[in-house]
């Protein structure tokens, strides 16, 4: 009857590249876990949005119901993500503190046509979506029909992932 | 009724008089921009109230070599911005921000959108627990190339 090889033996005979791969994998898992702990997560509720949307050839003023989304801010790097609830869309944003002397707790994050400004102390935020009107419609080449808006609201720290 | 923003001053035609030499230098693509209207919010009696504002006029200068820009109001106040191509499928659309202001322009058509994020989120400098009373707005309009590259 054959005896099972002890695990120690397996470890000894595992080729070096495989062991390296396992080590890298373990390191990646540890790093990922650490990184997850270093994100500040907020649930944000927009009270409402104001803006414009194309109607015919002109932009008409509109008022929109506010959205809810999750905003995550890295504690180690000047980056954040914003995930709008219900749409599944995720924005990857670069962040800065525009007025470090006068408003050191107010951050501003942007992803091209979207800008998210939030005071980390109070949770007050403003969120603008500048995608509409300015980008060309892929078919007509004229202004696209998406809305151009700015909204206000409050963020609260999430109680956990 | 449309209100006039506190930083609004002169007419579109007056913009040429505030053109600074730096903006006219080589390498800058310079636009004169006419905002049609702004809407947004402002604190009134402790509440954010929706407002409507007259559009403003300003200069926008873009240096594509390093994707930096200057947005200059008619009162000569300048915002120094970093820019990027906002959307790969629209390579002529450039999005610029200094953190507090965001400006997106489609260079061919001249259409732009513009937000001022100074109100609400930023604390009042005198009472930091309160929101400040500056307007928070979004506007749109068109720009005309004035010269440059």
């Amino acid at each position: 009857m054959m005896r099972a090889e002890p695990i120690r033996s397996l470890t000894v005979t595992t080729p070096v590249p495989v062991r390296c791969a396992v080590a890298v994998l373990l390191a990646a898992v540890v790093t990922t876990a650490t990184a997850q702990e270093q994100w500040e997560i907020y649930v944000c509720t927009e009270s409402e949005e104001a803006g414009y949307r194309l109607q015919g050839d002109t932009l008409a003023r509109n008022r929109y119901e506010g959205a809810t989304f999750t905003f995550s801010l890295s504690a180690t790097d000047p980056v954040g993500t914003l995930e709008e609830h219900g749409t599944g869309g995720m924005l990857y944003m670069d962040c800065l503190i525009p007025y470090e002397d006068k408003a050191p707790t107010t951050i501003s994050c942007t992803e091209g046509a979207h800008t998210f400004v939030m005071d980390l102390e109070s949770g007050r935020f403003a969120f603008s979506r500048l995608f509409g009107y300015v980008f060309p419609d892929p078919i007509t080449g004229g202004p696209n029909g998406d809305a151009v808006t700015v909204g206000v609201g409050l963020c609260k720290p999430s109680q956990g992932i | 009724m449309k209100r006039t923003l506190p930083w609004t001053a002169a007419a579109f035609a007056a913009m040429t008089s505030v053109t600074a030499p730096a903006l006219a230098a080589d390498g800058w693509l310079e636009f004169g921009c006419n905002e049609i209207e702004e809407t947004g919010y402002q604190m009134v009696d402790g509440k954010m109230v929706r407002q409507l504002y007259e559009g403003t006029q300003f200069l926008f200068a873009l240096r594509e070599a390093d994707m930096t820009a200057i947005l200059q109001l008619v009162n000569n106040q300048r915002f120094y911005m970093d820019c990027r191509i906002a959307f790969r499928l629209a390579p002529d659309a450039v999005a610029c921000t200094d953190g507090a202001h965001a400006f997106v322009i489609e260079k061919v058509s001249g259409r732009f959108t513009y937000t001022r994020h100074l109100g609400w989120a930023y604390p009042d400098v005198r009472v930091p627990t309160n929101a400040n009373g500056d307007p928070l707005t979004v506007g749109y309009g068109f720009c005309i190339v004035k010269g440059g590259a």
Side-chain angles (χ1 to χ4, degrees), chain A residues 10 76 93 155:
Chain A
L10 271 176
T76 55
M93 307 178 117
C155 295

Side-chain angles (χ1 to χ4, degrees), chain A residues 94-152:
Chain A
D94 295 316
C95 302
L96 56 87
I97 300 173
Y99 301 104
E100 286 195 66
D101 51 343
K102 293 179 181 173
T105 60
T106 307
I107 59 161
S108 174
C109 302
T110 187
E111 175 271 357
H114 301 83
T115 301
F116 179 75
V117 178
M118 176 187 170
D119 180 45
L120 299 173
E121 287 290 314
S122 66
R124 290 188 304 267
F125 77 85
F127 182 36
S128 68
R129 303 157 172 92
L130 298 185
F131 189 94
Y133 175 66
V134 67
F135 287 3
D137 182 282
I139 298 172
T140 67
N144 76 73
D146 285 336
V148 183
T149 67
V150 65
V152 295

Side-chain angles (χ1 to χ4, degrees), chain A residues 9-88:
Chain A
S9 157
L10 271 176
T11 305
V12 170
T13 57
T14 302
V16 171
V18 174
R19 276 186 279 147
C20 287
V22 171
V24 168
L25 183 63
L26 283 173
V29 169
V30 170
T31 304
T32 303
T34 304
Q36 283 177 347
E37 291 166 4
Q38 294 176 335
W39 289 86
E40 296 174 17
I41 299 173
Y42 300 87
V43 176
C44 304
T45 305
E46 224 173 15
S47 47
E48 69 167 48
E49 295 176 57
Y52 301 93
R53 189 166 209 154
L54 201 60
Q55 287 185 357
D57 293 333
T58 57
L59 287 187
R61 282 191 295 276
N62 273 307
R63 191 174 185 174
Y64 301 93
E65 285 184 7
T68 58
F69 47 86
T70 300
F71 176 70
S72 303
L73 178 66
S74 169
T76 55
D77 299 299
V79 295
T81 63
L82 193 152
E83 182 179 16
E84 195 161 338
H85 296 177
T87 67

Side-chain angles (χ1 to χ4, degrees), chain A residues 48-52 58-64 92 94 96 98-99 102-103 105-113 115-119 122 124-137 141-144 148-154, chain B residues 2 36-41 48 50 52-53 79 82 84 86-87 90 93-106 109 111-125 128-132 136-142:
Chain A
E48 69 167 48
E49 295 176 57
Y52 301 93
T58 57
L59 287 187
R61 282 191 295 276
N62 273 307
R63 191 174 185 174
Y64 301 93
Y92 297 89
D94 295 316
L96 56 87
Y99 301 104
K102 293 179 181 173
T105 60
T106 307
I107 59 161
S108 174
C109 302
T110 187
E111 175 271 357
T115 301
F116 179 75
V117 178
M118 176 187 170
D119 180 45
S122 66
R124 290 188 304 267
F125 77 85
F127 182 36
S128 68
R129 303 157 172 92
L130 298 185
F131 189 94
Y133 175 66
V134 67
F135 287 3
D137 182 282
N144 76 73
V148 183
T149 67
V150 65
V152 295
L154 285 172
Chain B
K2 289 185 183 180
I36 296 167
E37 188 181 277
E38 289 185 41
T39 187
Y41 300 91
M48 286 299 270
R50 204 154 58 110
L52 187 62
Y53 301 96
F79 307 126
D82 293 317
R84 66 177 74 177
F87 187 46
V94 178
C96 303
T97 185
D98 68 347
H101 307 80
F103 181 79
V104 183
I105 182 172
E106 210 273 328
S109 67
R111 288 190 305 269
F112 76 83
T113 50
Y114 179 41
T115 51
R116 309 164 199 258
H117 296 97
L118 285 166
W120 177 242
Y122 285 95
D124 187 316
V125 289
T129 53
N130 291 350
N132 78 76
L136 170 70
T137 68
V138 60
Y140 71 98
F142 60 90

